[in-house]
């Protein structure tokens, strides 16, 4: 059998399809952006049909560029933006509303209501998550309540719901398979990560019929065959993982204590805790890193809502740069005497604050502040937020569990900037490792599918193939680091809604 594997990487702003060969080298890539919809302040939506068409188009492009046919592909792996949800008609496959994106904050009042009822400890104990609009289930509840007739139709079994992976699996298999994997399920707020099942008590609280939801499988499992008419041949779908967990796999963070951080629109850091389900005392998330052969591996996760999006804001919002790549060069020429802090709470603050109502702010402006200082503040905000995550993880993950000297493996669009990665190492006071292959998310999904198909190496051999492109070591004076961190924490404190 061919060693070619097709990875579908369905992200927040674009869809990519990448074909890897048997040596994990890229043979062909297709990429397509799709529209973002902002119907109200704090609301973010996608048209599921745009996503579906982008998946088909990018897969065909990747096949053409790889100069192969669908019949040459051994397996498909899917990775996706995790908490974004779709509700669709079971008979026709048509969505009843736009997808509600993970960034969307419309369910903040419902989350606040549940917190006031004292229910957050219950949700947290069972799911490892906090009551925040970020997660999927309150979005499903909103759709059932607000789309005319949706709740009655759901109760009659006429509708299905799921994260983007489940919607794509349904479409790719011609409606034969309604399934998801354990990592995506673990982000819904209604999946019991201790028992590995949908939780009836939590579903009842949110009034979500269990029949709506997909079957939950291992990350490497049989998710059905694609319809022949879509790509030209039937292809087995054998791997699925949410994007951050797929990146963790692609970075070969298989041992407890290993940590990766992905810098895309947001930033998501995962620390592998092995079979140990660590209940955070510092408002981190406890989540499923992956489930293979029925065995669950857990992780602590920190979620930053705005990372690369801060650079996009510089470019598209206030137009101080023309291209995102300019940010590092500008930052390197910033006036070091100006202490400018950007708290990018454009859609609230994630870990460890979880303040959905906080909004962005800039501190320390002077008449001399210009584009270079704004660029430095935007890139430093990502480093500062990562430091907050790392500090929380160090408090939860004690040295007895492994080496307390953390090395961070990084990926995502932002890590191409040497300046940003060096400043990250400086602020963290820890090494930052940039791998040779930055396509770790797609690679993780591809490995799940390729290993399941028997055409790619098993876990240990795959881990040995991970290679380092460059290590960034901390070089900042400790006194400077402390001063900067003090200024950052004071700025965040002033931004929080309970200030």
């Amino acid at each position: 059998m061919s060693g070619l594997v097709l990875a579908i990487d369905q992200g927040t702003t674009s869809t990519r399809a990448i074909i890897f060969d048997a040596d994990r080298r890229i043979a062909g890539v297709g990429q397509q952006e799709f529209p973002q919809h902002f119907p109200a302040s704090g609301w973010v939506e996608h048209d599921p049909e745009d996503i579906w068409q982008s998946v088909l188009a990018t897969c065909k492009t990747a096949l053409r560029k790889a100069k192969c046919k669908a019949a040459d592909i051994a397996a498909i792996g899917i990775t996706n933006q995790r908490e974004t949800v779709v509700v669709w008609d079971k008979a026709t496959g048509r969505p009843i509303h736009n997808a509600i994106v993970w960034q969307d904050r419309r369910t903040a009042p419902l989350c606040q209501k549940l917190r006031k009822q004292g229910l957050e400890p219950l949700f947290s104990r069972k799911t490892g998550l906090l009551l925040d609009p970020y997660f999927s289930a309150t979005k499903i509840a909103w759709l059932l309540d607000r789309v005319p007739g949706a709740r009655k139709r759901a109760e009659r079994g006429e509708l299905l719901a799921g994260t983007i992976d489940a919607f794509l699996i349904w479409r790719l298999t011609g409606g034969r398979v309604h399934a998801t994997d354990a990592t995506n399920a673990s982000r819904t707020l209604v999946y019991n990560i201790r028992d590995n099942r949908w939780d009836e008590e939590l579903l009842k609280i949110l009034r979500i019929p269990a029949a709506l939801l997909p079957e939950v499988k291992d990350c490497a499992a049989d998710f059905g065959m694609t319809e022949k008419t879509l790509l030209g041949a039937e292809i087995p779908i054998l791997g699925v993982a949410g994007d951050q967990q797929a990146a963790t796999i692609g970075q070969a963070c298989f041992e407890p204590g290993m940590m990766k951080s992905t810098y895309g629109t947001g930033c998501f850091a995962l620390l592998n805790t092995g079979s140990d389900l660590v209940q955070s005392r510092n408002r981190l998330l406890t989540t499923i890193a992956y489930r293979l052969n029925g065995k669950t591996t857990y992780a602590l996760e920190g979620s930053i809502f705005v990372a690369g999006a801060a650079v996009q804001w510089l470019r598209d919002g206030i137009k101080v740069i023309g291209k995102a790549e300019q940010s590092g060069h500008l930052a390197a020429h910033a006036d070091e005497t100006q202490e400018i802090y950007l708290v990018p709470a454009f859609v609230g603050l994630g870990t460890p604050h979880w303040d959905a109502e906080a909004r962005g702010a800039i501190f320390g402006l002077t008449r001399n502040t210009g584009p270079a200082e704004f660029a430095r503040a935007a890139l430093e905000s990502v480093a500062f937020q990562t430091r907050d995550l790392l500090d929380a993880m160090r408090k939860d993950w004690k040295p007895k569990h492994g080496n307390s000297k953390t090395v961070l493996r990084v990926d995502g669009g932002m890590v191409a900037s040497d300046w940003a990665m060096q400043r990250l190492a400086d602020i963290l006071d820890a090494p930052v490792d940039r791998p040779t292959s930055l396509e770790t998310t797609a690679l993780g999904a591809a490995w799940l599918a390729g290993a399941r198909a028997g055409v790619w190496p098993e876990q240990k051999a795959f881990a040995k193939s991970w290679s380092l492109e460059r290590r960034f070591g901390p070089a900042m004076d400790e006194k400077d680091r402390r001063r900067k961190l003090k200024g950052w924490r004071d700025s965040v404190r002033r931004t929080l809604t309970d200030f």
Side-chain angles (χ1 to χ4, degrees):
M1 184 183 288
S2 161
L4 295 175
V5 177
L6 170 61
I8 297 171
D9 183 356
Q10 204 300 295
T12 307
T13 58
S14 71
T15 298
R16 294 193 306 156
I18 302 178
I19 294 174
F20 294 91
D21 66 18
D23 296 316
R24 277 79 71 202
R25 292 180 303 222
I26 294 174
V29 180
Q31 180 166 355
Q32 186 178 110
E33 293 188 1
F34 54 88
Q36 310 289 301
H37 302 280
F38 309 98
S41 177
W43 293 24
V44 188
E45 295 181 356
H46 294 155
D47 183 338
E49 297 297 345
D50 288 342
I51 291 175
W52 171 241
Q53 291 302 323
S54 72
V55 167
L56 291 181
T58 55
C59 286
K60 291 174 182 177
T61 299
L63 287 167
R64 185 176 70 253
K65 290 186 175 180
K67 298 180 180 179
C68 67
K69 298 179 180 179
D72 300 322
I73 303 297
I76 289 176
I78 297 175
T79 182
N80 57 289
Q81 46 169 322
R82 295 177 298 179
E83 295 81 6
T84 299
V85 295
V86 187
V87 177
W88 66 94
D89 186 297
K90 186 176 182 179
T92 67
R94 294 174 185 162
I96 66 168
H97 189 276
N98 275 350
I100 302 181
V101 179
W102 60 270
Q103 298 162 313
D104 191 281
R105 313 306 286 170
R106 76 186 66 185
T107 63
L110 173 56
C111 293
Q112 180 66 19
K113 177 183 175 182
L114 295 171
R115 278 195 297 270
K116 286 182 177 179
Q117 293 173 354
L119 291 172
E120 186 164 68
L122 174 68
F123 278 89
S124 183
R125 185 175 69 253
K126 291 189 171 190
T127 70
L129 309 178
L130 301 170
L131 285 171
D132 188 87
Y134 174 34
F135 304 109
S136 306
T138 58
K139 297 176 173 67
I140 296 174
W142 188 94
L143 289 167
L144 295 182
D145 287 334
R146 298 299 183 92
V147 176
R151 183 164 292 284
K152 288 185 178 179
R153 294 188 66 200
E155 291 169 352
R156 291 197 299 265
E158 297 174 7
L159 302 179
L160 297 175
T163 42
I164 295 298
D165 61 302
F167 176 67
L168 294 180
I169 290 167
W170 179 264
R171 283 287 181 91
L172 287 167
T173 62
R176 293 190 300 272
V177 178
H178 186 37
T180 188
D181 84 295
T183 68
N184 278 293
S186 75
R187 312 298 295 187
T188 59
L189 204 61
V190 286
Y191 188 72
N192 191 314
I193 63 172
R194 297 174 183 274
D195 300 337
N196 271 288
R197 60 175 175 80
W198 298 116
D199 192 281
E200 294 179 6
E201 183 179 15
L202 302 183
L203 289 170
K204 185 176 181 180
I205 291 171
L206 291 172
R207 299 174 60 224
I208 296 175
L212 273 179
L213 301 174
E215 177 188 359
V216 181
K217 296 175 176 279
D218 284 357
C219 299
D222 180 6
F223 292 89
M225 302 286 285
T226 64
E227 284 274 275
K228 182 179 180 179
T229 55
L230 295 176
L231 298 174
E234 291 185 334
I235 308 172
I237 304 169
L238 298 181
V240 177
D243 53 9
Q244 304 312 318
Q245 283 92 339
T248 302
I249 293 166
Q251 289 277 37
C253 291
F254 293 127
E255 297 298 323
M258 296 184 74
M259 181 179 175
K260 77 89 203 176
S261 191
T262 299
Y263 296 94
T265 302
C267 164
F268 303 88
L270 269 75
L271 174 72
N272 185 323
T273 62
S275 60
D276 190 1
L277 191 159
V278 179
Q279 200 76 43
S280 176
R281 299 177 300 279
N282 296 281
R283 297 184 68 75
L284 293 166
L285 306 177
T286 305
T287 196
I288 293 177
Y290 47 85
R291 197 175 83 195
L292 299 172
N293 299 316
K295 181 181 177 182
T296 302
T297 295
Y298 295 99
L300 285 172
E301 177 174 332
S303 304
I304 297 169
F305 298 146
V306 173
V311 178
Q312 292 172 336
W313 173 72
L314 292 181
R315 182 192 65 192
D316 304 333
I318 60 175
K319 303 185 187 303
V320 300
I321 58 174
K323 297 180 179 179
E325 296 79 17
Q326 295 174 318
S327 58
H329 177 75
L330 264 180
H333 292 85
D335 180 1
E336 286 293 339
T337 67
Q338 293 190 51
E339 295 288 350
I340 310 299
Y341 293 94
L342 167 64
V343 182
F346 303 139
V347 289
L349 286 172
T351 312
H353 310 288
W354 294 105
D355 188 338
E357 304 304 320
R359 289 297 176 261
I362 301 174
F363 298 91
L365 297 177
T366 72
R367 285 289 299 273
N368 289 330
T369 303
E373 287 72 38
F374 272 90
R376 186 186 66 193
L379 294 179
E380 283 189 334
S381 74
V382 178
F384 288 133
Q385 290 178 99
T386 307
R387 174 62 187 256
D388 289 344
L389 301 186
L390 183 57
D391 286 347
M393 286 177 173
R394 283 170 170 165
K395 291 175 184 176
D396 281 331
W397 183 256
K398 300 300 181 184
K400 67 180 181 180
H401 293 297
N403 191 343
S404 62
K405 294 289 185 181
T406 305
V407 175
L408 182 64
R409 289 185 173 180
V410 296
D411 54 75
M414 288 189 74
V415 308
S417 168
D418 288 353
W419 191 93
M421 292 302 97
Q422 182 57 55
R423 188 52 55 102
L424 178 62
D426 289 339
I427 297 299
L428 295 183
D429 192 21
V432 171
D433 283 359
R434 185 169 65 192
T436 302
S437 173
L438 297 181
E439 299 292 353
T440 53
T441 303
L443 182 60
W447 175 76
L448 290 169
R452 173 78 179 184
V455 298
W456 277 25
E458 48 75 40
Q459 188 171 316
K460 288 185 178 179
F462 175 70
K464 288 181 180 179
S465 70
W466 184 93
S467 61
L468 176 70
E469 184 266 330
R470 180 175 173 182
R471 169 169 286 188
F472 297 86
M476 182 178 286
D477 181 78
E478 179 62 22
K479 184 178 179 181
D480 291 338
R481 181 184 300 110
R482 288 180 179 176
R483 185 187 73 253
K484 285 180 172 291
L485 285 169
K486 182 180 179 182
W488 163 255
R489 288 162 183 162
D490 181 62
S491 299
V492 171
R493 180 176 61 84
R494 295 169 184 270
T495 308
L496 298 172
T497 54
D498 60 358
F499 172 61

